[in-house]
Amino acid sequence: IVAQGEEHARIRFTSVPGAAFVPNRHGGRPGLPDGPPRWEGIHLVDSMSEENVLAFADIEYAQDSQGSIGVNASSLLVDHVTFHGTHLRMVYGVNASLVVQHSTFPDVFGPDEDPVAIGLDNVAEPIKITGRTPAGGQLRIAYNSFGTNKGHNDVIDADSRRVGDGPILQIIGNVFQGAGDELLDLGGDVYVAGNLFQNVTKDEFTSDRGYASAIS
């Protein structure tokens, strides 16, 4: 996929324009706010082309447990992208070569929304990465802005290789507004530099009674 917008000519991926609001029942979860009909997002599978790019794009109402953007055994550059209208994972990588940069991730929950009542536990995470980055690939999250999260839901939940075993995850120059669980929940070896971590405190919505941490 090559979806290459420009700063003043962005690409908009959205629901049906003008559609009536409908109940949001993804996964049978009650309590999600009504809104435009949801769609399942943009998913790459077995596509290791280095030309795959989503840039200067706005993704609205794409709600799927595999991500508004899903990258499965594939390569993708996500650059200057915004997200709106989902309570589930926004970027989900599995065995992926993935760069996410200069993008804006909103607050996952509104001020009056309760993740426990909605039934969202450990799945409402802006970025989720599992598996092993392919040899010759890269895994980089850089210069993004992340809104707040609530409950037992991380902001970035990611696995990484070990140094010497292949490319490791780099998390560089991001701004994190806050969470009730972890901002970074990491496995493997990760390079973390130049980030701003704010407002991390265990909240009343989490099912995890351990610590809340900027980096775990």
Side-chain angles (χ1 to χ4, degrees), residues 5-73:
E6 299 176 358
E7 182 179 1
H8 300 294
R10 299 177 65 87
I11 299 171
R12 186 183 185 197
F13 296 92
T14 191
S15 184
V16 179
F21 277 23
V22 296
N24 184 355
R25 294 289 182 265
H26 182 86
R29 296 182 176 94
L32 292 171
D34 293 354
R38 264 55 177 189
W39 56 291
E40 293 184 351
I42 299 167
H43 298 266
L44 282 74
V45 179
D46 296 328
S47 177
M48 288 302 300
S49 171
E50 295 181 359
E51 297 181 359
N52 287 332
V53 59
L54 284 170
F56 291 99
D58 304 312
I59 299 179
E60 303 173 338
Y61 304 108
Q63 182 167 278
D64 187 81
S65 60
Q66 301 300 307
S68 301
I69 299 172
V71 187
N72 188 336

Side-chain angles (χ1 to χ4, degrees), residues 8-203:
H8 300 294
R10 299 177 65 87
I11 299 171
R12 186 183 185 197
F13 296 92
T14 191
S15 184
V16 179
F21 277 23
V22 296
N24 184 355
R25 294 289 182 265
H26 182 86
R29 296 182 176 94
L32 292 171
D34 293 354
R38 264 55 177 189
W39 56 291
E40 293 184 351
I42 299 167
H43 298 266
L44 282 74
V45 179
D46 296 328
S47 177
M48 288 302 300
S49 171
E50 295 181 359
E51 297 181 359
N52 287 332
V53 59
L54 284 170
F56 291 99
D58 304 312
I59 299 179
E60 303 173 338
Y61 304 108
Q63 182 167 278
D64 187 81
S65 60
Q66 301 300 307
S68 301
I69 299 172
V71 187
N72 188 336
S74 299
S75 175
L76 182 65
L77 168 64
V78 178
D79 183 30
H80 286 92
V81 171
T82 71
F83 300 85
H84 178 73
T86 180
H87 286 73
L88 301 181
R89 296 160 179 145
M90 299 172 203
V91 176
Y92 191 13
V94 181
N95 300 323
S97 177
L98 178 63
V99 175
V100 181
Q101 63 186 22
H102 303 293
S103 295
T104 302
F105 294 81
D107 295 342
V108 178
F109 298 97
D112 298 324
E113 290 182 331
D114 180 343
V116 177
I118 297 174
L120 295 178
D121 183 272
N122 212 30
V123 295
E125 300 169 332
I127 296 182
K128 172 76 171 180
I129 297 171
T130 66
R132 297 165 63 85
T133 305
Q138 57 183 323
L139 200 56
R140 189 167 186 262
I141 301 170
Y143 309 112
N144 304 286
S145 174
F146 292 91
T148 61
N149 207 351
K150 293 181 182 180
H152 185 205
N153 297 291
D154 305 314
V155 174
I156 296 177
D157 184 352
D159 295 334
S160 177
R161 286 181 179 262
R162 297 290 186 180
V163 169
D165 184 42
I168 68 168
L169 173 61
Q170 304 174 59
I171 302 177
I172 302 171
N174 303 279
V175 175
F176 296 87
Q177 298 294 336
D181 196 33
E182 269 70 56
L183 293 177
L184 305 181
D185 189 348
L186 307 173
D189 291 333
V190 184
Y191 179 75
V192 179
N195 300 279
L196 175 62
F197 301 115
Q198 304 175 91
N199 306 314
V200 187
T201 179
K202 185 66 68 177
D203 64 28

